[in-house]
Amino acid sequence: MAFQAIGLTATSRRDLLARLGRRRQEESGRKAAFASWFARHQALWSRTLAPVRPFDAPRCRATDWDASWPLPRELTSVRRGRRLVTAQLGDWGLRDLADTAELLVSELVTNALCHTRGPLRLNLQVRDSRLRCEVEDTDPTGPVRRVVDADAEGGRGIDMLDLLAEAWGSTSTATGKTMWFQLPTKASSPQESPASD
């Protein structure tokens, strides 16, 4: 035997095999601990650094009361955003909010196209009697309120949000920011409204 060739006794063989077994267990335990640590940290950082939905992902529906679409960097995206909002609110039985939501979404999409670079994403959700509309972009700079002349053609987006939305704001994300506004719905909760899809 190989053990006899190198002059090991039965006791020393058992000790050697036991030590090798313990070393393998320790190494596999260290590898498992590192893999577990790595998996936990990878999950944490991926949630922190990635947007809620990839900007270029196709239409998403997390629940019956969430919808999301990528928007190309084209002027036609303003019209597309209005149509998507109107159609989705119709599906959700919230047609009474369509005109206001359509106007404010077109304002957010227009501002994103004019003042940011990179991909855009339109998100809608209904929670706790509130419709929340969001436009995500990759620019971290928030909105700036400007004083405009009475005959100016633009620059009134924030005033429109103040006037028509129940609440609005800008939230920083790991990839830029999200401009959002909320409108109250007549239903006390999404479950009381008819759902589609």
Side-chain angles (χ1 to χ4, degrees), residues 46-113:
S46 66
R47 284 195 303 268
T48 303
L49 297 177
V52 177
R53 299 175 184 92
F55 284 111
D56 59 348
R59 181 180 184 191
C60 302
R61 187 181 289 274
T63 70
D64 286 341
W65 296 95
D66 288 272
S68 181
W69 306 267
L71 295 175
R73 291 203 62 83
E74 301 168 0
L75 291 177
T76 56
S77 289
V78 178
R79 182 178 66 227
R80 182 170 188 264
R82 287 195 304 260
R83 288 181 178 170
L84 291 168
V85 167
T86 301
Q88 188 61 62
L89 293 181
D91 288 349
W92 284 342
L94 301 173
R95 286 182 185 84
D96 56 316
L97 299 177
D99 291 339
T100 304
E102 190 180 335
L103 177 64
L104 294 179
V105 162
S106 69
E107 183 62 34
L108 293 186
V109 173
T110 300
N111 284 343
L113 288 171

Side-chain angles (χ1 to χ4, degrees), residues 112-131:
L113 288 171
C114 291
H115 302 293
T116 69
R117 296 180 182 179
L120 305 175
R121 187 158 199 91
L122 171 62
N123 306 314
L124 298 180
Q125 63 179 225
V126 178
R127 298 282 187 281
D128 301 323
S129 313
R130 301 286 181 276
L131 169 69

